[in-house]
Amino acid sequence: MSILTLDGTASASDPAAQRSKADTLRIAALALLSIRFIQGFIYWGGGSRRFVYAPAKLDPNAASWMANKFQSAMPGALLGTDHIIAFLLHHFYLLYVALILFSAVELIAGLLLMTGVLTRGAALASIGLSIVLMLMFGWQGATCIDEWTMAACNLAIGATLMLGGSGAFSLDNALLARKPALAERDWFRWMSGALPLPVGSGTFQKIALAVFAATVAFNVATYNYYRGSVITPFHGGPVSPSKHHLTLTDGVLLPDGAVRFHAYLDGGTPEAPSNVMTAALKSTDGSVLEQWDGAALSHLPASAVANEFAYNRFAPGPFGLRAEMGAMATITLPAASGADPGRLRGAGTLQLRTVNGNTFDVAVRPG
């Protein structure tokens, strides 16, 4: 009976040497057991929460509906994933299918990793999940980039398991013991983790170094983008995960004296809304021509706020105009009753002030 070497080929060489290699593989497999199980548990936990323990996350009518979390990630998402999120948010059925599939992949990949079934395939799926999560949510975290840290670790773990396989205490091993002929099937060698990959040691080293380089490059590059501290000084990131920021555009003074503008809450924590307490229309010399206080903003009619998405929204709140993370809307502030629209023709800027004292301006042009 031939013995498989480290590079997956049969050999009739010294049995003692082959046993030593087998022991080395066994030690490596046992060493990977903890991270294989916990990697699987993390992803199984994400999927099982939505399907079993907290199904409201997949209920469009519930406050914890996952679409809200997706929208809150949109301002800082990388490599065009913000446009993908926006597209899905505008197409409910595609969004719902995407959330179901994403959750199902988490659940299934997690179960496969915990039990050691098709371990390399499951590890590859976990790599894909980690990359997607890092691109979408990696910028978030109030005290540090919490979402990036978790996804970066999971990416490295997935890469390790994809190369190393399952080995010890896995159903891959049990299946191979029952059907030894699987050792000759390339698909089983590539997808499971019971045996080394069917390549020579030199080729395996090249694959391992390529995976290492890709993992390091992606993790270090995204970290440097979010926080610097690699080739640039530390910085708070292009999008702040803690300080709310409003981007205001398309300010227009309408003929009846109302002011219309576009607002996007594109920075800050999703854990708390941003509250706009006052809005002031100013002339080019800085004098206030019109002002809307918290009471006026909190009583804006529904027709004054046209939200672009059905989930996180701008809306009148108890203290003024309230916005949830990622909200985007066209807002119209009505002219004060009895005001002369003619006196507003010199308006140059609309300024919004939030509850924490931050101000955001937009140039206003005649409509």
Side-chain angles (χ1 to χ4, degrees), residues 164-175:
S166 50
F169 300 104
S170 69
L171 293 183
D172 282 338
N173 269 11
L175 183 60

Side-chain angles (χ1 to χ4, degrees), residues 180-192 195 198:
L182 288 173
E184 308 301 324
R185 303 291 178 87
D186 282 347
W187 71 264
F188 183 78
R189 299 287 294 275
W190 283 102
M191 294 294 292
S192 80
L195 295 169

Side-chain angles (χ1 to χ4, degrees), residues 13-53:
S13 59
D14 180 16
Q18 293 302 324
R19 282 196 298 272
S20 175
K21 293 179 180 179
D23 288 343
T24 300
L25 282 176
R26 183 69 174 172
I27 291 170
L30 288 169
L32 292 176
L33 182 59
S34 296
I35 65 170
R36 191 193 86 211
F37 184 87
I38 295 303
Q39 175 86 333
F41 182 77
I42 288 170
Y43 284 111
W44 172 84
S48 64
R49 280 196 304 275
R50 292 174 216 130
F51 286 121
V52 181
Y53 300 108

Side-chain angles (χ1 to χ4, degrees), residues 177-256:
R178 289 177 62 88
K179 297 184 177 182
L182 288 173
E184 308 301 324
R185 303 291 178 87
D186 282 347
W187 71 264
F188 183 78
R189 299 287 294 275
W190 283 102
M191 294 294 292
S192 80
L195 295 169
L197 288 173
V199 296
S201 58
T203 301
F204 179 82
Q205 177 173 307
K206 291 177 182 178
I207 293 173
L209 290 176
V211 171
F212 166 73
T215 301
V216 170
F218 187 81
N219 280 351
V220 173
T222 51
Y223 180 81
N224 185 68
Y225 178 81
Y226 289 133
R227 288 294 181 269
S229 305
V230 179
I231 58 175
T232 64
F234 173 84
H235 58 73
V239 177
S240 172
S242 56
K243 184 178 179 181
H244 284 132
H245 181 271
L246 284 166
T247 292
L248 308 178
T249 56
D250 301 328
V252 178
L253 178 64
L254 301 178
D256 63 355

Side-chain angles (χ1 to χ4, degrees), residues 252 254 256-262 292 297 300-301 303-306 321 329-335:
V252 178
L254 301 178
D256 63 355
V259 180
R260 185 180 66 217
F261 63 98
H262 186 269
W292 297 263
L297 295 175
L300 285 176
S303 60
V305 183
L321 191 62
T330 298
I331 301 167
T332 303
L333 302 178

Side-chain angles (χ1 to χ4, degrees), residues 60-360:
N61 298 313
S64 56
W65 163 231
M66 280 291 293
N68 300 90
K69 183 173 178 63
F70 267 52
Q71 188 174 343
S72 72
M74 188 169 59
L78 297 181
L79 300 182
T81 51
D82 55 331
H83 299 296
I84 296 174
I85 294 171
F87 178 81
L88 291 174
L89 292 174
H90 279 131
H91 297 83
F92 171 78
Y93 292 106
L94 292 178
L95 171 66
Y96 194 77
V97 169
L99 291 174
I100 293 293
L101 289 177
F102 187 89
S103 301
V105 171
E106 282 192 307
L107 181 71
I108 294 170
L111 284 171
L112 294 179
L113 285 171
M114 285 192 293
T115 56
V117 179
L118 299 179
T119 306
R120 287 194 174 93
L124 182 61
S126 77
I127 290 174
L129 291 170
S130 298
I131 291 173
V132 170
L133 290 170
M134 200 182 304
L135 291 177
M136 290 173 54
F137 300 99
W139 64 277
Q140 292 185 334
T143 56
C144 62
I145 41 180
D146 309 316
E147 301 283 356
W148 178 91
T149 301
M150 183 173 180
C153 290
N154 286 339
L155 175 58
I157 291 172
T160 300
L161 293 173
M162 183 181 68
L163 293 170
S166 50
F169 300 104
S170 69
L171 293 183
D172 282 338
N173 269 11
L175 183 60
L176 182 63
R178 289 177 62 88
K179 297 184 177 182
L182 288 173
E184 308 301 324
R185 303 291 178 87
D186 282 347
W187 71 264
F188 183 78
R189 299 287 294 275
W190 283 102
M191 294 294 292
S192 80
L195 295 169
L197 288 173
V199 296
S201 58
T203 301
F204 179 82
Q205 177 173 307
K206 291 177 182 178
I207 293 173
L209 290 176
V211 171
F212 166 73
T215 301
V216 170
F218 187 81
N219 280 351
V220 173
T222 51
Y223 180 81
N224 185 68
Y225 178 81
Y226 289 133
R227 288 294 181 269
S229 305
V230 179
I231 58 175
T232 64
F234 173 84
H235 58 73
V239 177
S240 172
S242 56
K243 184 178 179 181
H244 284 132
H245 181 271
L246 284 166
T247 292
L248 308 178
T249 56
D250 301 328
V252 178
L253 178 64
L254 301 178
D256 63 355
V259 180
R260 185 180 66 217
F261 63 98
H262 186 269
Y264 180 23
L265 184 60
D266 58 359
T269 174
E271 303 304 322
S274 177
N275 290 281
V276 177
M277 303 297 291
T278 62
L281 183 64
K282 297 184 177 182
S283 66
T284 53
D285 64 6
S287 59
V288 176
L289 301 174
E290 187 83 271
Q291 184 160 308
W292 297 263
D293 60 13
L297 295 175
S298 66
H299 288 89
L300 285 176
S303 60
V305 183
N307 283 284
E308 294 194 19
F309 302 105
Y311 310 105
N312 295 352
R313 302 163 65 89
F314 279 87
F319 310 110
L321 191 62
R322 178 175 176 167
E324 297 169 305
M325 187 59 194
M328 192 182 295
T330 298
I331 301 167
T332 303
L333 302 178
S337 177
D340 176 14
R343 73 182 183 87
L344 304 179
R345 295 307 176 196
T349 303
L350 177 70
Q351 183 178 86
L352 303 187
R353 183 180 296 273
T354 62
V355 67
N356 54 8
N358 293 323
T359 58
F360 304 94

